């Protein structure tokens, strides 16, 4: 990217020393870390209803028991992560916990699950955020894919510039969302209790397509489990809290759990009493808000807050994915390029990979949250299970303070999330979960291959067994000569200034007639460098050059060899199409030989 | 392309000296040069009917007068080219004639017209050839585009291998076609005269859509003028004839003209008396052949011969296009890559360009001959006119033997073809002729730009005003050092073997901590080359390196500068994704400086 554009887009570079971290109060931390978890309130209830509606009104009546079950699970998971925070005050993501306690392959399974999950968080949150917007502004509905991709592009640019994770930025939309949703639930239930809630609309309830079988209910449950995504965020960010970090983090986690549970149950209750069914073009939350508040300012406030927290949730992946990728790359199980920080101290490569993958998902799934959901949650629950399992192992091994409580809570959490994972995989396998289950082992295999490559490289390049440097006694230089012009003269001049001991010029001749002419010009311009004219009856270049190199190597096995080529540099790109690029070709092909190639550039400005 | 595949596909390389030419008898030459012209019999009549059918039966009744007019034009053009052969016994294509007599821009107009025409010849001939096949084997009809592209690929591979233009290869299908078509016309007209011709089928005659206006008749005439395409081929190949070349070539041209005229008129007469109308999925010739011979062996023989001569016609462009492109490239109005002959002594680049463009046309126009026809003929007739105009100029200037006859014949030819060109452009402008008229000036402009670039290059590189070579007195070498490992040691060893007078190693440090470590390792492995450790607070590489280079340039303006980098060479392509490619990046960026870069490759096999 030309520098000017890059500067405009991502801003001035920042110094490495400028990276710092601010410590967060509990209130600020709740805003920073809970957007992913809380935002799932915007779609979790709808996803349950979306499955159950296939069994008509009878199906929908199961929504509340399912939501209650999920809330119970939520409590277990929150308590489990409370234990993780206790044991990993320095931040314990599933990858770290699994690596420390379970070994490489389980840690890679957890790592890849989380990477996939981050990508899906962006795709799902952006799709749901766009759905919140298009519910309020239906005319945008046909353009939802374009809007979604545009949103991803904006978030990406913002992150490439490096958003400072200041609490202010996060606090406004997060507390707007909490405030407006709590208001919705309280006012809605009050109206219902008073009997002033408007009667349910005719609704778009279609006839039941299937019976409310156990399998359907399992699918509904699995769909609703997306409500749990993002709970782990606080345990990854313990170091950002004010002292005492672990205690504050745990308190914040429990606060978040309470809010999340209340909102999820509240929205599900309102959907039930209002007989809301999922509809194309309008979300369940939008339908509820319209019923409770009418089509006025309060309604639009809720839609705006919902859209904003969902975009914030997508944004948290932009911190999490590149950071995790960088940790994996540092452990040599992903390409090293992901370790690097860009101009603005952010992991630019990771950000770009995340943006590309999530955009592809939004486009591929036409920005439809319902279609993305079956892929989601699988990764999350693999992460949950691995993390809890690792914790149980850790408690049992270390027997540190309070290990019994830890084993019980993490054991129950691990067992519960493992069972739910099985349910999710079983019930959503054909709807897309298979894809995630296929990618994870593939990813693990790729990571192991990458690790092997870097390890081999390290061994091969190690200087540990090296004793001293034998310097090549002789140095042979070949000056590759095409036509003879000013560029050639520059190369001759350059070659002479190297003061080489053994140098020969080589011209490869396609036809005998021009050989004489070259010889004559060389006598004038060649500065006494001996010229070999090699005939090439098959009009080949590199092969003949290689032949001469091999001959030198055979006669002087320990000599260093250098080939000098001239390379034209054109000021305009289209002029590249007008040249044979012999120099570039020779450079490329000789890379695979034990030969150094010098390119003497000739500017054609 | 890996060498093994290339060998399998195109065969062993041929020596330059192996290029030779066989001299052709008149009978052989007719086969070699007339496939393009004669093959148009397969579609020219149909294209006339295709236009006229819009005016129903009334329209179709004009087909014979139009065909007669076109045949008259054909006679004029054949006689004109007879004069061209007389004046250019060494082969006079429109480009050569225009360049010699009219100047650069007219010659480029002619050249681009011909290039476009060659591409269209392939697209039209292949589409028509596939139509002949799918008329006989209707089940292939839905796959016509794929079949067309496959045919182009096969012709391309054959030409990359280098078809020897042996008369045998051409003679069989050409004479098969002549024989079978003459048979069809003679038998058909005999049956008609005897009254034994089967009564015309019900036909798919739709109701007239428009009146038989003058404009419609002009369009029909323009469409039929495709019958004239390919007549110029013999005049390009005079040198291939046995002695006396010009006389033999002229005789062959007249023979071809007679056969072409007879077949064209004959097919049109039969179409008229059989009331054949163009139908989707079956060609006019196929309908006639079925009516005359029934659905037996003779019918399939005609279809096969038609398909084969059309593919031969496409093949002639594979000789013409690359050869013309090579002539233009030699004149520096097209990229020099087109001058080169490949391994098999063919102009591989030209062949590949032709294959790509004609495939795009076949795909873009869905293999539909009718849609391609309006684009065709424009280029042909521009070529005809330019060539005849150039000839008139030549006769008038040189006043050589028989110049009066030349002026008259070429003058009439030039005027007639210019008028027809105007008719074609006028009547088919909206149907696609505009595209050709837009491309030609664009092409001319591109060619002039290319010529300007090469001329500037030549001037800039010219040694004419150079007197002697001032050798740089000093040579500064910078050894770029990343981590210190075996690769670095190899680079140090290489640098030392150059015995440089001024050398410094440069390490660019992103963080202060590793600087100490690098310094310590360097003391052990650096062989007394002084090491500069440059801090890069913004994690930048090339910028810092450039800064040091500029400093040297400032202090020693006449010194030569060399930068040495190490470059890892991985055995597998996917391993490329696992490295930062710092060396490649430095090489690329420093190309634009007056600095030579040496790459010391480190094989990681």
């Amino acid at each position: 990217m030309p520098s000017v554009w890059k500067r405009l887009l991502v801003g001035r570079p920042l110094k490495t020393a400028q990276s710092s971290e601010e410590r967060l109060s509990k209130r600020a931390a709740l805003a920073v870390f809970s957007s992913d978890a809380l935002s799932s309130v915007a779609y979790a209830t709808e996803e349950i209803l979306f499955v159950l509606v296939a069994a008509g009104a009878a199906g929908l009546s199961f929504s509340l028991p399912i939501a209650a079950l999920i809330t119970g699970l939520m409590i277990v998971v929150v308590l489990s992560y409370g234990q993780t925070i206790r044991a990993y005050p320095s931040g314990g993501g599933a990858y770290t916990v699994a690596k420390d306690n379970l070994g490489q392959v389980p840690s890679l399974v957890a790592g890849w699950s989380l990477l996939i999950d981050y990508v899906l968080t962006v795709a799902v949150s952006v799709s749901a955020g766009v759905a919140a917007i298009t519910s309020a502004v239906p005319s945008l509905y046909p353009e939802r894919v374009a809007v979604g991709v545009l949103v991803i592009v904006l978030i990406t640019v913002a992150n490439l510039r490096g958003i400072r994770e200041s609490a202010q930025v996060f606090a406004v939309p997060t507390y707007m969302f909490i405030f407006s949703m709590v208001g919705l639930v309280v006012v809605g239930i009050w109206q219902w209790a008073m009997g002033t809630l408007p009667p349910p609309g005719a609704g778009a309830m279609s006839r039941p397509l299937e019976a409310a079988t156990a399998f359907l209910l399992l699918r509904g449950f699995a769909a609703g489990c997306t409500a749990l995504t993002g709970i782990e965020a606080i345990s990854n960010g313990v170091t950002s809290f004010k002292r005492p970090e672990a205690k504050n983090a745990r308190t914040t986690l429990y606060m978040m759990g309470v809010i999340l549970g209340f909102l999820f149950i509240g929205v599900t209750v309102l959907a039930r009493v209002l007989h809301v069914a999922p509809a194309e073009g309008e979300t369940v939350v939008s339908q509820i808000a319209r019923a409770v508040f009418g089509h006025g300012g309060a309604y639009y406030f809720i839609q705006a807050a919902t859209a904003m927290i969902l975009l914030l949730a997508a944004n948290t992946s932009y911190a999490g994915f590149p950071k995790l990728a960088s940790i994996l790359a540092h452990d040599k199980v992903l390409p090293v390029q992901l370790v690097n920080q860009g101009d603005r101290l952010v992991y630019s490569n990771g950000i770009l990979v995340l943006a590309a993958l999530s955009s592809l998902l939004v486009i591929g799934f036409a920005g439809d949250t319902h279609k993305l959901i079956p892929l989601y949650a699988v990764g999350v629950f693999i992460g949950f299970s691995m993390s809890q399992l690792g914790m149980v192992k850790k408690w049992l091994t270390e027997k540190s303070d309070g290990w019994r409580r830890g084993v019980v809570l993490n054991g129950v959490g691990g067992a519960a999330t493992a069972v739910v994972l099985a349910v999710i995989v079983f019930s959503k396998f054909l709807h897309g979960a298979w894809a995630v289950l296929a990618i994870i082992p593939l990813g693990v295999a790729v990571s192991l291959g990458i690790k092997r490559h870097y390890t081999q490289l390290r061994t091969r390049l190690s200087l540990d067994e090296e004793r001293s440097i034998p310097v090549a006694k002789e140095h042979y230089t070949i000056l590759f000569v095409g036509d003879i012009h000013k560029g050639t003269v520059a190369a001759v001049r350059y070659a002479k200034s190297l003061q080489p001991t053994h140098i020969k010029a080589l011209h490869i001749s396609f036809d005998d007639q021009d050989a004489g002419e070259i010889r004559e010009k060389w006598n004038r311009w060649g500065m006494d460098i001996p010229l070999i004219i090699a005939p090439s009856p098959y009009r080949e270049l590199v092969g003949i050059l290689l032949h001469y190199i091999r001959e030198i190597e055979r006669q002087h096995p320990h000599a260093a060899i250098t080939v000098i080529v001239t390379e034209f540099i054109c000021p305009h790109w289209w002029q590249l199409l007008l040249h044979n690029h012999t120099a570039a070709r020779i450079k490329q092909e000789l890379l695979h030989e034990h030969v150094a190639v010098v390119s003497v550039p000739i500017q054609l400005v």
Side-chain angles (χ1 to χ4, degrees), chain A:
Chain A
M1 178 156 50
S3 211
V4 179
W5 289 105
K6 187 170 172 185
R7 286 294 148 260
L8 265 179
L9 211 58
V10 308
R12 294 220 189 142
L14 293 174
K15 286 198 189 181
T16 312
Q18 282 173 314
S19 70
S20 73
E21 207 134 323
E22 60 181 316
R23 291 301 183 114
L24 301 172
S25 68
K26 278 176 283 188
R27 203 166 51 198
L30 184 67
V32 170
F33 291 116
S34 68
S35 63
D36 185 8
L38 293 182
S39 66
S40 54
V41 169
Y43 52 82
T45 301
E46 172 154 358
E47 293 307 326
I48 299 175
L49 301 180
F50 184 76
V51 173
L52 297 182
V53 76
L60 292 185
S61 67
F62 285 98
S63 63
L64 257 182
I66 286 176
L69 198 60
I70 291 173
T71 310
L73 182 65
M74 204 181 282
I75 294 167
V76 171
V77 170
V78 165
L79 290 176
S80 300
Y81 269 102
Q83 299 310 306
T84 308
I85 291 174
R86 205 155 59 84
Y88 278 95
S90 62
Y95 173 71
T96 312
V97 173
K99 200 180 80 169
D100 284 2
N101 302 297
L102 302 175
Q104 184 169 52
V105 171
S107 77
L108 288 175
V109 171
W112 277 89
S113 304
L114 289 173
L115 289 176
I116 293 171
D117 195 48
Y118 281 126
V119 175
L120 282 163
T121 297
V122 175
V124 168
S125 300
V126 166
S127 299
V130 171
I133 296 169
T134 56
S135 293
V137 190
S139 59
L140 276 175
Y141 185 68
E143 307 301 330
R144 59 199 179 282
V145 173
V147 174
V149 172
L150 182 71
V151 166
I152 290 178
V153 169
L154 292 178
I155 297 178
T156 304
V157 170
N159 277 280
L160 285 176
R161 292 187 70 99
I163 294 180
R164 305 270 94 200
E165 292 194 358
S166 67
Q168 286 78 13
V169 173
F170 286 78
V172 175
T174 306
Y175 283 105
M176 249 176 78
F177 180 74
I178 293 175
F179 168 76
S180 64
M181 289 302 286
V182 169
L184 176 66
V185 169
V186 169
V187 172
I189 290 180
W190 174 262
Q191 288 182 349
W192 174 60
M194 297 289 104
T196 59
L197 200 62
M205 177 70 69
S206 54
R207 275 187 311 162
L209 299 166
E210 30 183 313
T213 55
F215 185 69
L216 189 80
L217 299 185
L218 280 185
R219 274 182 56 212
F221 172 76
C225 282
T226 50
L228 275 70
T229 56
I231 288 182
E232 74 287 0
I234 290 179
S235 72
N236 292 334
V238 182
T239 49
S240 305
F241 282 81
K242 284 193 176 148
R243 275 164 223 284
E245 292 93 349
K247 185 164 168 294
N248 285 334
R250 246 182 319 150
T251 313
T252 311
L253 174 65
Y254 297 151
M255 267 160 51
M256 181 183 81
V258 169
I259 299 170
L260 177 58
F262 173 77
L263 293 182
F264 177 55
I265 285 288
V267 168
T268 311
V269 166
L270 283 178
R272 184 83 198 92
V273 299
L274 284 163
H275 299 283
V276 169
E280 173 154 1
E282 184 173 13
T283 65
V284 164
V285 168
S286 168
Q287 294 181 56
I288 294 173
R290 218 156 31 78
V292 171
F293 291 122
H295 218 90
Y299 165 76
Y300 283 105
F301 187 82
I302 285 183
Q303 289 308 109
T306 307
M308 277 165 70
I309 199 166
L310 281 162
L311 301 189
L312 264 194
N315 187 66
T316 56
S317 281
Y318 274 82
F321 181 95
K323 202 166 175 184
L324 177 59
S326 156
I327 292 173
L328 289 168
H330 194 264
D331 287 352
K332 307 284 186 201
V333 291
L334 278 185
V336 284
Q337 290 94 318
L338 294 166
V339 172
N340 303 346
Q341 290 189 313
D343 285 349
R344 301 280 293 182
L345 285 175
V346 294
Y347 302 100
S348 326
N349 290 330
I351 289 175
L352 293 172
V353 170
L354 176 64
L357 294 177
S358 55
S359 300
L360 283 179
L361 279 181
V362 168
I363 295 168
F365 286 81
D368 186 337
T369 320
H370 302 317
K371 288 193 187 132
L372 284 163
I373 287 292
L375 280 75
Y376 204 29
V378 178
V380 181
F381 275 83
I382 292 177
F384 282 163
S385 310
M386 304 290 290
S387 164
Q388 304 307 330
L389 230 82
M391 284 308 298
V392 170
K393 180 99 183 288
K394 185 182 169 77
W395 294 125
L396 289 177
T397 315
E398 299 183 359
K399 302 223 155 86
S400 58
D401 207 30
W403 68 274
R404 281 168 219 278
R405 181 164 43 122
V407 168
V408 171
L409 285 175
N410 288 128
V412 171
T417 50
V419 168
V420 172
L421 175 62
V423 169
I424 293 174
V425 168
F426 169 67
S427 64
K428 307 206 286 189
F429 189 81
L430 291 177
H431 290 84
W434 65 267
V436 176
L437 289 180
I439 292 171
I440 290 172
L442 212 72
V444 172
V446 166
S447 281
L448 292 175
I450 290 174
K451 176 126 196 181
R452 195 163 46 242
H453 172 76
Y454 285 131
T455 310
Q456 280 178 1
L457 190 67
R458 206 196 160 90
T459 317
R460 194 149 293 146
L461 291 177
S462 162
L463 286 168
D464 294 348
E465 288 169 24
E466 207 82 353
R467 283 289 158 266
S468 68
I469 311 181
V471 174
K473 294 210 186 65
E474 292 173 304
H475 198 123
Y476 284 81
T477 306
I478 300 171
L479 174 59
F480 185 84
V481 175
D483 272 346
I484 295 181
H485 46 57
K486 264 192 194 156
T488 324
V489 169
V492 168
R493 200 181 301 169
Y494 173 83
K496 272 282 175 185
S497 81
L498 278 175
Q499 299 173 314
T501 43
H502 305 280
I503 183 166
K504 287 213 165 79
L506 178 66
H507 173 77
I508 293 174
S509 165
F510 290 174
D511 92 57
D512 300 342
Q513 293 169 354
D514 65 37
E517 201 184 322
I518 292 281
R519 171 78 62 196
E520 187 192 321
K521 281 194 190 168
W522 190 257
N523 289 338
R524 172 140 190 235
W525 298 107
M527 291 187 75
D528 306 325
I529 296 174
L531 175 70
I532 302 169
I533 295 187
S536 175
Y538 296 104
R539 299 166 306 288
E540 214 193 351
L541 277 179
V542 181
I544 307 264
L545 182 53
L546 272 181
H547 173 79
Y548 277 81
I549 290 169
R550 298 263 154 77
E551 193 57 26
I552 296 175
E553 280 174 344
R554 203 177 55 76
Q555 291 178 13
H556 313 278
H558 300 292
I561 301 174
T562 297
V563 174
I564 302 177
V565 294
T566 41
E567 189 160 10
F568 293 126
I569 311 304
C570 298
H572 303 295
W573 66 265
W574 58 268
Q575 295 169 337
L576 290 175
L577 302 173
L578 304 180
H579 296 277
N580 275 322
H581 305 288
T582 312
R585 207 142 40 93
I586 290 175
K587 271 161 78 177
Q588 189 55 42
E589 302 245 6
L590 291 191
L591 271 184
H592 300 281
E593 304 294 317
H594 291 275
V595 166
V597 181
V598 191
S599 177
V600 179
I602 310 296
Q603 319 294 334
L604 297 178
V605 186

